[in-house]
Amino acid sequence: MLKIVSAKVIVTCPGRNFVTLKIETSDGVTGLGDATLSGRELAVASYLTDHLVPCLIGRDAHTIEDTWQYFYRGAYWRRGPVTMSAIAAVDMALWDIKAKVAGLPLYQLLGGKSRDGAMVYTHANGNTIEETLEKAQKYIAEGYKAVRLQSGVPGLKATYGVGKAGKPYDPADSDIPSEYSWSSEKYLRSVPELFKKARDVLGWDVHLLHDVHHRLTPIEAARLGKELEPYRLFWLEDAVTAENQANFRLIRQHTVTPLAVGEVFNSIWDCKQLIEEQLIDYIRATVVHAGGITHLRRIAALADIYNVRTGCHGATDLSPVSMAAALHFDVSIPNFGIQEWMHHAEVTDEVFRRTYSYKDGALHPGEGPGLGVELDEALAAKYPYKRAYLPVNRLEDGSLTNW
Ligand code: KDG
Ligand code: MG
């Protein structure tokens, strides 16, 4: 038995807010888990501190599956992003500990490598198509094999995915939610133009991706998918919301553009129908928001038998601990598709010292024991939590819509 002797929650804001769980065992081995839920960070911190940590002390750190079941079934109240992010943090930290005790990089405990590295896509965005494509060219020159393109929409003041005045894009930008305005008509006119020019300028050897960020109706999404077919996207992401998984049936009937969804999913039940009916091509559920490595492996195993591949969410609001966990998962599973990588600020990488590294369009988890991330707690303490919300979105007539 490897007894858990302490578990603490560290909230820090090096560039943006992160919530991290650190578990320590009687042998002095420690493990880290990410518990960051952008815009609702302290709810998960409290869930951990007030409800999970008291039950963790004295448990055997090696019983990962039993601990997962204990917190999932034991809560009685199932699922939801707060619960599942908290369980994920415990799960990640325990896998980190187990791999450190074994003296192996975590991917070895997940079955070993199925591939050399995880192909990543990064974000090229700009106010104009020209600006977006310039950035994409820079990334392609750095060896990226896949790039997500988001561009300003003529007639709209601000658009999802495009940074403000030269700053790196981070949507959690205000202590009271910023308000954006939206027009699907204007957006739908501009996106095919972006991808037409993108193929002219960037050619056909690069994978191109696009995120709709849940803003269309199913029939609008179907039309967009159809209009983008000539440009052969790697995927069209979050074309519609997926609380109603059957939404995707309508899109699927009309287009062969590959579809991705799931960054806001927190359990296998959010994607069961999408996967079983083969309504999507990529599942974007992540380690931190979907119950940890233990639960994400279950989702990936279900997806595998229906030819659905993974494409884990990897925006900057997932900490380097999540990114490391995702990479160990990515290189080990059979049905990996792609990994999102939106670079963290330098100060984030100073607080979270990580061993994963980029080479030739792919990330590599590193060969050290465990996840390969250490948290500099003294430095983290210099960056106290700052309340930061994700924006809200209104149609031009003032009514609220999806951000
Ligand atoms: O916190 C919200 C972000 O993670 C999200 O807006 C990023 O859609 C996103 C993406 O695809 O990275
Ligand atoms: Mg997205």
Side-chain angles (χ1 to χ4, degrees):
M1 161 131 166
L2 182 60
K3 223 182 194 171
I4 296 175
V5 292
S6 85
K8 68 171 171 182
V9 177
I10 300 148
V11 183
T12 177
C13 186
R16 64 160 355 278
N17 290 317
F18 295 108
V19 179
T20 311
L21 176 70
K22 182 173 180 181
I23 295 181
E24 191 177 351
T25 66
S26 48
D27 288 10
V29 182
T30 60
L32 295 179
D34 182 22
T36 309
L37 183 63
S38 196
R40 295 292 185 271
E41 294 86 357
L42 300 185
V44 189
S46 159
Y47 194 106
L48 281 164
T49 308
D50 297 324
H51 302 294
L52 301 197
V53 165
C55 311
L56 272 172
I57 310 301
R59 286 186 71 85
D60 182 358
H62 277 312
T63 58
I64 298 178
E65 181 68 44
D66 186 69
T67 300
W68 195 94
Q69 300 292 340
Y70 183 82
F71 286 136
Y72 183 81
R73 294 172 195 268
Y76 184 63
W77 313 106
R78 291 182 180 211
R79 307 189 278 152
V82 174
T83 300
M84 296 304 273
S85 300
I87 295 177
V90 173
D91 187 77
M92 259 181 264
L94 295 184
W95 276 110
D96 192 18
I97 289 170
K98 194 184 277 295
K100 282 182 183 165
V101 170
L104 293 169
L106 174 61
Y107 70 78
Q108 293 291 16
L109 274 59
L110 304 178
K113 275 192 180 174
S114 293
R115 60 194 54 76
D116 289 339
M119 177 172 70
V120 290
Y121 72 91
T122 195
H123 295 188
N125 51 57
N127 284 310
T128 61
I129 294 180
E130 288 64 35
E131 225 177 284
T132 303
L133 298 185
E134 249 171 55
K135 294 218 182 109
Q137 280 173 311
K138 174 181 144 302
Y139 287 126
I140 294 166
E142 289 171 17
Y144 285 87
K145 313 231 176 319
V147 185
R148 188 187 91 163
L149 304 180
Q150 306 290 140
S151 202
V153 174
L156 292 183
K157 255 209 323 252
T159 313
Y160 164 76
V162 181
K164 282 184 187 160
K167 281 193 187 163
Y169 180 66
D170 193 320
D173 62 357
S174 184
D175 67 351
I176 288 292
S178 311
E179 301 224 348
Y180 281 51
S181 115
W182 181 251
S183 155
S184 291
E185 294 75 18
K186 289 176 181 156
Y187 167 76
L188 284 168
R189 277 202 298 273
S190 74
V191 187
E193 188 60 19
L194 166 64
F195 282 91
K196 183 173 184 298
K197 289 206 175 131
R199 283 302 179 202
D200 288 346
V201 173
L202 308 175
W204 294 88
D205 287 338
V206 59
H207 295 304
L208 299 180
L209 299 82
H210 182 69
D211 189 351
V212 181
H213 221 260
H214 326 271
R215 294 173 182 199
L216 298 177
T217 62
I219 200 68
E220 287 168 343
R223 194 179 104 212
L224 180 62
K226 223 168 157 174
E227 286 182 23
L228 292 177
E229 278 173 15
Y231 315 116
R232 301 282 189 274
L233 266 60
F234 185 90
W235 79 34
L236 184 67
E237 175 186 338
D238 289 350
V240 296
T241 55
E243 288 105 319
N244 178 10
Q245 297 178 41
N247 273 344
F248 278 78
R249 279 196 198 133
L250 199 139
I251 310 174
R252 204 57 155 178
Q253 280 162 16
H254 293 283
T255 181
V256 293
T257 291
L259 302 172
V261 73
E263 67 183 37
V264 302
F265 291 178
N266 53 70
S267 95
I268 199 164
W269 301 102
D270 294 329
C271 47
K272 182 174 175 288
Q273 185 185 1
L274 288 167
I275 291 171
E276 285 176 348
E277 291 187 29
Q278 296 182 302
L279 301 178
I280 55 169
D281 301 280
Y282 296 93
I283 177 70
R284 280 184 46 72
T286 50
V287 181
V288 54
H289 301 136
I293 292 163
T294 297
H295 194 62
L296 197 60
R297 286 176 91 203
R298 239 167 235 138
I299 294 177
L302 176 70
D304 186 35
I305 59 175
Y306 292 99
N307 289 101
V308 175
R309 292 191 284 159
T310 64
C312 288
H313 186 202
T316 41
D317 50 316
L318 283 71
S319 90
V321 178
S322 268
M323 183 55 69
L327 293 172
H328 287 279
F329 165 84
D330 291 342
V331 298
S332 67
I333 57 165
N335 55 327
F336 167 75
I338 199 165
Q339 170 67 50
E340 181 179 20
W341 188 36
M342 189 180 160
H343 310 82
H344 283 113
E346 252 171 57
V347 57
T348 301
D349 285 335
E350 281 163 18
V351 168
F352 293 89
R353 280 188 249 112
R354 43 112 167 158
T355 56
Y356 60 80
S357 59
Y358 170 83
K359 193 169 175 239
D360 297 335
L363 278 174
H364 302 266
E367 295 302 320
L371 286 170
V373 183
E374 291 304 323
L375 174 61
D376 182 335
E377 286 182 62
L379 194 56
K382 296 195 173 145
Y383 301 100
Y385 167 78
K386 269 198 258 169
R387 192 176 68 220
Y389 285 103
L390 293 172
V392 297
N393 211 10
R394 290 185 189 277
L395 297 178
E396 288 176 312
D397 72 357
S399 40
L400 263 172
T401 186
N402 307 322
W403 170 69

